[in-house]
């Protein structure tokens, strides 16, 4: 196999290795170095205008996991056994609207854009939100748009983990209102600024994975 063929095979092997792992081997822990490598893949993920509408809570406290388990039906096997467990938060319209301080600050302090450039970019962003994508029709419209972007980090984290033989499970199986309540009462999160987008469990599989079931390529692609 030439080098390109090898790289392609390596990537596809990684995609096949990744599966929604339902129970982890509790005796195996992910090293700090490996976990930070996974989080680095989240940090480097792309976002619209580079505004990074996310924040990640790493939940290692067993008592907090117990409370989460009561309202997270999709993580009954993973919450108690995961080496590391993340709640991915999405920033609400309180940060993400074009005229918010968060936007101004990230352009200034992270993107290092001078004042004049920031005014221009804010104008673009306003046009995009108001007219191109009509994101300001409701708080929910903007939230859903921001949430979509957090799933790019989700995919990157799962793939980064799989690349070094770490298993994961993405989780949307939770009562959103109840989780918001917990975020506020037990995690000290300002829930007017953040909402839970998804959860993500990491560890090492306890059981062999099931065979992958996917539709054929010609079922999901149309060529023009
Ligand atoms: C956004 C999202 C949410 C999911 N939520 C859950 C969940 O709450 N609990 C769970 O066990 N699996 C969950 N899954 C896993 C899917 O059921 C799984 O990825 C799909 O059936 C394909 O199987 P595979 O990932 O093993 O290839 C979720 C997957 C995605 C992408």
């Amino acid at each position: 196999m030439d080098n390109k063929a090898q790289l392609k095979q390596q990537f596809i092997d990684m995609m096949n290795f990744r599966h929604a792992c339902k129970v982890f081997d509790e005796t195996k822990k992910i090293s700090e170095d490996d976990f930070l490598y996974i989080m680095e893949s989240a940090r480097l993920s792309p976002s619209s205008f580079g505004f990074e509408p996310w924040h990640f809570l790493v939940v290692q406290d067993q008592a907090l996991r117990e409370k989460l388990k009561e309202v997270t039906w999709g993580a009954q096997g993973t919450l108690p056994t995961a080496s590391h467990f993340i709640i991915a938060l999405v920033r609400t319209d309180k940060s993400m609207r074009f005229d918010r301080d968060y936007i101004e600050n990230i352009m200034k302090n992270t993107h290092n854009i001078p004042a004049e450039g920031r005014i221009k970019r804010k104008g673009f962003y306003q046009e995009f939100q108001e007219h191109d994508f009509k994101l300001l029709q409701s708080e929910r419209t903007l939230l859903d748009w921001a949430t979509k972007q957090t799933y790019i980090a989700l995919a990157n984290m799962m793939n980064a983990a799989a690349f070094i033989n770490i298993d994961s499970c993405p989780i949307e199986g939770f009562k959103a209102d109840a989780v918001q309540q917990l975020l506020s009462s037990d995690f000290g999160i300002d829930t007017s600024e953040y909402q839970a987008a998804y959860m993500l469990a990491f560890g090492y599989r306890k059981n062999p994975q099931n065979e992958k079931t996917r539709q054929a390529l010609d079922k999901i692609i149309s060529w023009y």
Side-chain angles (χ1 to χ4, degrees):
M1 257 200 288
D2 64 16
N3 187 251
K4 197 209 274 186
Q6 267 178 9
L7 286 172
K8 287 195 291 189
Q9 191 55 51
Q10 214 179 337
F11 192 82
I12 295 300
D13 286 348
M14 175 274 284
M15 296 291 287
N16 276 306
F17 174 92
R18 189 219 56 79
H19 68 293
C21 184
K22 308 290 179 186
V23 183
F24 299 103
D25 180 342
E26 284 175 84
T27 64
K28 293 188 185 158
K29 296 291 168 217
I30 298 169
S31 72
E32 192 187 338
D33 190 60
D34 285 354
F35 186 68
L36 290 178
Y37 145 84
I38 293 169
M39 294 317 294
E40 181 69 357
S41 77
R43 192 179 77 90
L44 291 175
S45 295
S47 55
S48 185
F49 289 81
F51 288 151
E52 306 177 27
W54 46 58
H55 191 85
F56 302 96
L57 308 180
V58 184
V59 188
Q60 301 304 81
D61 183 272
Q62 286 305 324
L64 284 175
R65 286 197 190 183
E66 276 298 320
K67 286 192 179 176
L68 270 179
K69 191 166 169 259
E70 286 167 25
V71 291
T72 307
W73 50 265
Q76 293 300 297
T78 47
L79 260 171
T81 58
S83 167
H84 289 70
F85 193 91
I86 290 177
I87 305 175
L89 304 181
V90 56
R91 286 180 171 273
T92 67
D93 75 308
K94 255 198 154 176
S95 308
M96 297 311 296
R97 235 179 58 173
F98 68 90
D99 53 358
R100 300 302 196 197
D101 286 349
Y102 172 75
I103 298 300
E104 174 67 12
N105 290 337
I106 196 168
M107 286 195 292
K108 187 175 175 189
N109 303 321
T110 304
H111 303 161
N112 304 315
I113 301 172
E116 207 177 300
R118 293 202 298 276
I119 292 170
K120 254 196 186 157
R121 207 163 164 76
K122 185 172 151 183
F124 273 133
Y125 191 41
Q126 177 172 6
E127 177 69 16
F128 172 75
Q129 290 199 332
E130 275 182 354
H131 302 296
D132 296 348
F133 263 48
K134 298 190 172 45
L135 297 175
L136 303 183
Q137 288 175 339
S138 73
E139 288 180 10
R140 180 65 191 251
T141 326
L142 193 63
L143 184 76
D144 286 347
W145 168 76
T147 304
K148 285 195 285 190
Q149 298 168 52
T150 68
Y151 283 71
I152 301 171
L154 169 68
N156 286 335
M157 287 188 280
M158 293 191 297
N159 289 336
F163 197 59
I164 57 167
N165 292 342
I166 290 175
D167 292 302
S168 62
C169 187
I171 297 143
E172 266 183 345
F174 57 85
K175 304 267 183 211
D177 289 345
V179 169
Q180 282 303 100
Q181 190 60 46
L182 261 187
L183 287 177
S184 172
S185 61
D186 289 60
F187 291 79
I189 299 295
D190 176 355
T191 49
S192 70
E193 197 140 13
Y194 296 99
Q195 284 206 19
Y198 55 83
M199 301 176 193
L200 181 54
F202 293 106
Y204 293 93
R205 68 188 69 184
K206 184 158 189 179
N207 305 310
Q209 72 190 96
N210 293 329
E211 202 184 319
K212 277 238 171 293
T213 54
R214 293 292 191 273
Q215 296 183 86
L217 264 191
D218 64 2
K219 285 259 167 36
I220 61 164
I221 304 180
S222 300
W223 300 82
Y224 294 92

